[in-house]
Amino acid sequence: MKERTLEKTADGSYTLFVPEMDEHYHSVKGARTESEHIFINMGLKQSSAAAPHVLEIGFGTGLNAFLTLLEAETSGRDIRFTTLERYPLPEDLIRQMNYPEQIAPQRSEAFNSLHRAAWNVPVQITPHFTLCKIETDFTTWQTDERFDVIYFDAFAPEKQPEMWSQSLFDHLYALLRPAGILTTYCAKGVIRRMLQSSGFHVERLPGPPGGKREILRASKVKPRP
């Protein structure tokens, strides 16, 4: 992936724009607002797991990981966070986004630790949050791990269609533990039907304030035969 430019979103937080894809990393209506609503409030907080293992498809700017870390420290639940990224961002670009100062200045060092953590090994960032960043292409990634929550935060289907296939959703279904949850910002009918074909129970939920009208939450209600 080539050039990325910084853009301020409607809630004051920043996102990145990729000209070659004509795509943003987050909603221009509010990067933080979108991430908190879709992945924390509609995903993580809905999990009944005592110590959730979260899988994120697309580490990107680290915003979702940072918000999850903050929730772990607030709730006291121990969270393991496995995140996949094919194109890690340079540290100077991360600093320009200024997330810690905007969101939780007292946790600035924890945010920096997310990005400085070694790749491909688990690293305990705070007492309740352990991070494992994996530099890989999800379409070829295999693991024996199982997860309670999946943040599906790939680029949009029209920009990155290889990330939105039936076979990949089947794989994600298999990676979830019983009663696991997957959330995504994309509410397109074709995506909802693919998730249902994989075995998920799919809900259309209200989108973030000022943002997308609907999002999707998919639950693994029972094991597939």
Side-chain angles (χ1 to χ4, degrees):
M1 196 170 293
K2 300 179 182 178
E3 180 188 0
R4 307 170 185 90
T5 58
L6 203 64
E7 287 192 16
K8 197 170 189 177
T9 70
D11 65 3
S13 58
Y14 285 90
T15 189
L16 294 174
F17 177 66
V18 186
E20 87 177 295
M21 296 180 71
D22 189 28
E23 178 74 328
H24 292 86
Y25 272 62
H26 312 96
S27 170
V28 295
K29 302 293 181 64
R32 176 188 177 180
T33 301
E34 176 190 55
S35 291
E36 280 187 331
H37 178 79
I38 298 171
F39 301 114
I40 307 302
N41 296 335
M42 297 295 106
L44 179 62
K45 287 184 177 181
Q46 307 307 312
S47 171
S48 61
H53 191 179
V54 178
L55 172 64
E56 177 187 41
I57 310 300
F59 179 63
T61 64
L63 177 58
N64 295 338
F66 187 47
L67 293 173
T68 303
L69 179 153
L70 296 177
E71 174 58 23
E73 295 307 306
T74 298
S75 68
R77 284 201 292 180
D78 293 335
I79 295 178
R80 286 190 296 152
F81 193 89
T82 298
T83 181
L84 312 182
E85 180 57 60
R86 189 176 179 184
Y87 304 106
L89 295 171
E91 192 171 330
D92 63 330
L93 194 54
I94 295 298
R95 283 197 300 268
Q96 292 177 48
M97 303 197 75
N98 208 28
Y99 283 148
E101 289 75 8
Q102 296 170 0
I103 299 171
Q106 74 280 13
R107 293 289 185 180
S108 292
E109 188 52 42
F111 177 81
N112 294 335
S113 295
L114 294 174
H115 290 279
R116 293 172 184 161
W119 288 83
N120 305 312
V121 293
V123 179
Q124 186 163 355
I125 306 296
T126 67
H128 295 291
F129 186 86
T130 299
L131 173 70
C132 184
K133 298 187 297 187
I134 302 176
E135 188 173 352
T136 188
D137 181 347
F138 173 64
T139 63
T140 59
W141 181 66
Q142 297 293 323
T143 183
D144 294 326
E145 296 272 11
R146 291 298 177 263
F147 304 90
D148 301 292
V149 181
I150 295 177
Y151 300 169
F152 197 78
D153 201 17
F155 287 117
E158 58 270 25
K159 308 295 183 180
Q160 203 174 26
E162 69 276 10
M163 292 294 293
W164 302 81
S165 70
Q166 186 66 64
S167 62
L168 289 188
F169 286 127
D170 291 347
H171 183 44
L172 288 169
Y173 186 94
L175 290 177
L176 274 176
R177 293 185 177 121
I181 294 170
L182 177 151
T183 53
T184 181
Y185 62 87
C186 183
K188 290 179 180 291
V190 63
I191 303 303
R192 176 171 51 84
R193 290 188 290 274
M194 281 197 287
L195 287 165
Q196 289 170 331
S197 294
S198 295
F200 286 103
H201 170 69
V202 184
E203 303 169 85
R204 286 182 289 190
L205 302 172
K212 295 175 68 69
R213 185 168 61 88
E214 290 183 328
I215 63 167
L216 295 181
R217 181 169 64 216
S219 304
K220 188 170 183 175
V221 178
K222 59 183 178 180
R224 294 179 75 191

